Amino acid sequence: MPTKLLADLLGRLSTALSAGIGIRRAWKGEVERVPRRHRSALEEVGRRLEAGDGLAAAFRSAGDTFPPFVLGMVEVGERTGHEAEILRDLSRSLDHAVRTRRALLAALVKPALQLVAAILVVGFLIWIAGSIRGLDGRPVDILGTGLVGGGGLVAYACIVATVLLALAILLRAALASWRRRGIARPLVDRVPLLGAATRASEAAAWCRAASMAGSAGLDIGRLVRLASQVAPGLALDADRVEAGLRGGATFAESLRGAGVFPAAVVEGVAVGELTGTTPEKLDRLATQFDEEARRGFEAAAAAAGGIVWAIVAGLIIVVIFRIFSFYVGTIQSVMNSR
């Protein structure tokens, strides 16, 4: 289920439960609110609720409709008697993720438009080259690509379409690799600006999830496992963290031993353990890392825009020099013919 749709659904359920409305009655109203492609899954949840199952078990009957972290936290809510509060916090967390994603996409709009403009400019130059003739009567290849006129424009459009298709396939493969924690993650980590922003985003997601789990009263082992489900890029070894805890290490020391967290997370957890405010400290850290990730993604988008403009500027310079060379050559040919 799309994140925004899920956030709204959980938010409404939280409001209904807080108002004293039973979960079965509240759920019936949700089925008609969602798009048709999700109704069968929600109807299955409704049938399980009517059969007496809890909300977590009913959610699991819907297959992959609900992400693992949501399933885990809903189960925590049922066990602790804080379903309404957990659903509210989940809704806010998911809604925050949606806003962050939209901000990133908005930052990418300008570079994308610049790239489209560059592609169109090249196409225009190829087309207009068909109407420029040299002394020999042949079209002038302004760009030196061998593509001129209408035929060249068609060939260029085919090349662009092929490249875009290849990029789409590559992007899909990269996303799949990202979800499987494959080669895409270490490659992105090495990209300037983007790698740091991605790591900050993962740290923010983990801290926010851990804060929610801690506020719900989960033990540290369960907290680590649940939080890691929303930040798989950290590749946190939960067994190693639990082994450290069983060996007498503090939570902060166990996280430091995992070797995947920024120093700020370890230091914040250490302070939280001393003051008994670990969930609150994690929540503040999540906000800090969110801001760091936002700035990093915006800087990466600005850098991408700068690269596109540099390509366009280089293209313009090439065109100017080629046109200049064409006219100089024409003048020299005329002078030599005399």
Side-chain angles (χ1 to χ4, degrees):
M1 182 177 291
T3 305
K4 178 59 178 173
L5 185 63
L6 179 57
D8 292 342
L9 184 152
L10 297 179
R12 290 191 298 268
L13 281 180
S14 172
T15 301
L17 293 178
S18 298
I21 300 174
I23 186 62
R24 297 176 182 81
R25 179 183 170 190
W27 190 258
K28 288 180 180 179
E30 294 300 328
V31 176
E32 297 300 322
R33 292 176 183 265
V34 301
R36 288 186 178 275
R37 65 180 180 276
H38 299 297
R39 286 184 185 174
S40 60
L42 266 63
E43 287 170 352
E44 176 60 25
V45 172
R47 286 191 288 270
R48 296 297 295 270
L49 289 174
E50 291 293 338
D53 287 350
L55 187 59
F59 275 9
R60 287 192 172 87
S61 70
D64 295 331
T65 303
F66 304 98
F69 179 69
V70 170
L71 297 176
M73 289 305 299
V74 169
E75 184 176 349
V76 170
E78 287 181 329
R79 291 184 178 182
T80 59
H82 295 90
E83 282 182 284
E85 293 86 347
I86 290 293
L87 291 172
R88 179 198 62 210
D89 290 343
L90 279 171
S91 176
R92 291 176 178 174
S93 179
L94 294 171
D95 195 54
H96 183 275
V98 171
R99 292 197 304 271
T100 302
R101 190 179 307 158
R102 286 177 177 173
L104 173 59
L105 292 176
L108 293 174
V109 168
K110 185 177 178 181
L113 292 176
Q114 292 169 345
L115 181 60
V116 170
I119 292 173
L120 293 176
V121 166
V122 172
F124 174 75
L125 291 174
I126 290 173
W127 175 73
I128 201 68
S131 61
I132 302 176
R133 304 283 171 171
L135 292 177
D136 55 3
R138 292 184 300 179
V140 177
D141 184 5
I142 296 176
L143 299 177
T145 60
L147 302 176
V148 294
L153 182 60
V154 172
Y156 171 71
C158 292
I159 293 172
V160 170
T162 301
V163 171
L164 291 177
L165 178 60
L167 288 175
I169 294 173
L170 182 62
L171 178 61
R172 186 170 182 178
L175 289 174
S177 174
W178 182 272
R179 296 188 187 99
R180 296 194 306 267
R181 284 180 279 180
I183 193 172
R185 287 184 181 269
L187 288 178
V188 170
D189 280 344
R190 292 182 175 88
V191 177
L193 298 178
L194 186 59
T198 302
R199 290 191 295 272
S201 179
E202 292 275 0
W206 190 91
C207 288
R208 181 165 286 106
S211 173
M212 292 171 54
S215 297
L218 263 68
D219 62 87
I220 294 178
R222 186 78 186 282
L223 178 153
V224 169
R225 292 185 182 278
L226 275 175
S228 297
Q229 291 175 354
V230 300
L234 292 176
L236 176 63
D237 187 348
D239 292 332
R240 182 177 179 180
V241 174
E242 288 193 77
L245 293 169
R246 287 194 296 270
T250 64
F251 187 21
E253 291 169 343
S254 299
L255 293 182
R256 182 181 290 109
V260 298
F261 290 99
V265 173
V266 177
E267 293 167 3
V269 169
V271 173
E273 286 186 295
L274 290 174
T275 59
T277 58
T278 301
E280 293 83 355
K281 188 62 178 177
L282 285 169
D283 187 59
R284 288 195 292 270
L285 283 169
T287 302
Q288 294 172 16
F289 281 118
D290 270 329
E291 181 62 20
E292 181 180 333
R294 182 189 64 79
R295 291 196 303 267
F297 284 129
E298 289 179 351
I307 292 173
V308 172
W309 274 122
I311 294 173
V312 174
L315 177 64
I316 293 172
I317 292 172
V318 169
V319 171
I320 290 174
F321 273 100
R322 288 190 63 84
I323 292 176
F324 177 75
S325 299
F326 164 70
Y327 279 109
V328 169
T330 302
I331 294 171
Q332 288 178 341
S333 298
V334 172
M335 295 297 292
N336 292 334
S337 66
R338 292 180 180 179

